[in-house]
Amino acid sequence: MTQTPRYTLTQRLLHWLIAFLALLTLGIGMILGSLGFEGTQEIFGKATTNAFYTGHKTGGVLILIFMFLRLGVRLVSGAPPYPSPLNAFERVASRTVHGLLYVALLTMPILGWLATAAGGYPVQFFAWNLPGMIGQDKALSEILFSLHGIVGWVSVGLLILHIGGALQHWLIKRDAVMTRMSLFR
Ligand code: HEM
């Protein structure tokens, strides 16, 4: 029996690493965005709130680094051929959602980084503070934070479509699409 062609091991490792980081960082971002600094402190306490902020910023910077790496690998290695061709709708839908996920996951951390710096807050990466890149500007910071939040919600929508599509191939159509990205056969 011929085996399903798969993404390279580097691409599959990066996919699952970024998936884990994105779900975690988006989850924390939703908490911080909906409760705000004071609200988060009231419910979770000071230490956990600080850990949420550091974790969210660190996760975002890691996603940015891994996404650049992933884009480079994708441009060099491409994508494997499908074992059986997708129909026209699946082809357009998967290309659009994958493309928009690349754009969203590269844009979101950059917006968060610049919004944080413009607001005069530290751009934390683990125990370090990274350079802000732009000067302090409160009005600009508010605009950038709004955009950061909008791209965040768009990403949630894209991920629901993406994970729904993957599960549909895996559990309903039972074809080999999931195998292309899985770490183990
Ligand atoms: C339970 C969660 C997830 C599952 C089951 C899943 C599954 C898959 C599968 C099967 C593919 C290959 C599709 C194909 O060959 O046409 C794929 C590709 C992709 N996934 Fe996911 N995924 C998940 C989470 C995520 C998350 C959280 C992200 C974003 C952070 C993401 C971003 C992408 C992107 C951008 C591609 C296209 C890869 C490329 O062609 O370069 N996935 N995923």
Side-chain angles (χ1 to χ4, degrees):
M1 212 175 91
T2 54
Q3 290 200 321
T4 307
R6 300 197 292 169
Y7 283 92
T8 63
L9 180 62
T10 312
Q11 284 174 306
R12 284 179 281 134
L13 284 172
L14 282 170
H15 174 272
W16 292 110
L17 189 62
I18 294 169
F20 169 75
L21 286 170
L23 294 175
L24 192 74
T25 310
L26 270 171
I28 298 176
M30 297 297 154
I31 296 175
L32 298 176
S34 49
L35 296 179
F37 179 71
E38 271 90 26
T40 310
Q41 266 200 344
E42 260 171 45
I43 296 180
F44 294 97
K46 209 171 170 177
T48 308
T49 302
N50 287 341
F52 277 170
Y53 275 94
T54 312
H56 181 76
K57 293 176 193 178
T58 303
V61 175
L62 284 174
I63 290 171
L64 187 61
I65 296 168
F66 291 137
M67 278 306 292
F68 272 122
L69 209 63
R70 182 172 183 181
L71 188 62
V73 177
R74 177 68 160 82
L75 293 174
V76 172
S77 308
Y82 285 96
S84 49
L86 300 181
N87 66 40
F89 170 76
E90 288 174 328
R91 221 173 24 246
V92 173
S94 70
R95 278 203 192 145
T96 308
V97 172
H98 291 166
L100 289 175
L101 275 171
Y102 271 96
V103 174
L105 290 168
L106 284 164
T107 318
M108 215 178 350
I110 295 173
L111 286 170
W113 185 321
L114 296 178
T116 303
Y121 307 110
V123 182
Q124 293 159 295
F125 182 59
F126 295 103
W128 300 286
N129 283 344
L130 301 179
M133 308 292 189
I134 53 171
Q136 210 166 315
D137 181 338
K138 286 282 176 193
L140 177 66
S141 170
E142 273 177 33
I143 296 170
L144 293 172
F145 269 129
S146 306
L147 291 174
H148 183 64
I150 292 169
V151 182
W153 282 108
V154 169
S155 305
V156 171
L158 290 171
L159 285 177
I160 291 171
L161 292 175
H162 177 70
I163 296 172
L167 291 180
Q168 197 231 357
H169 279 288
W170 188 29
L171 303 173
I172 297 171
K173 292 183 87 177
R174 291 170 178 273
D175 57 22
V177 167
M178 193 67 184
T179 315
R180 291 155 58 78
M181 198 48 104
S182 45
L183 287 178
F184 312 101
R185 283 212 186 263

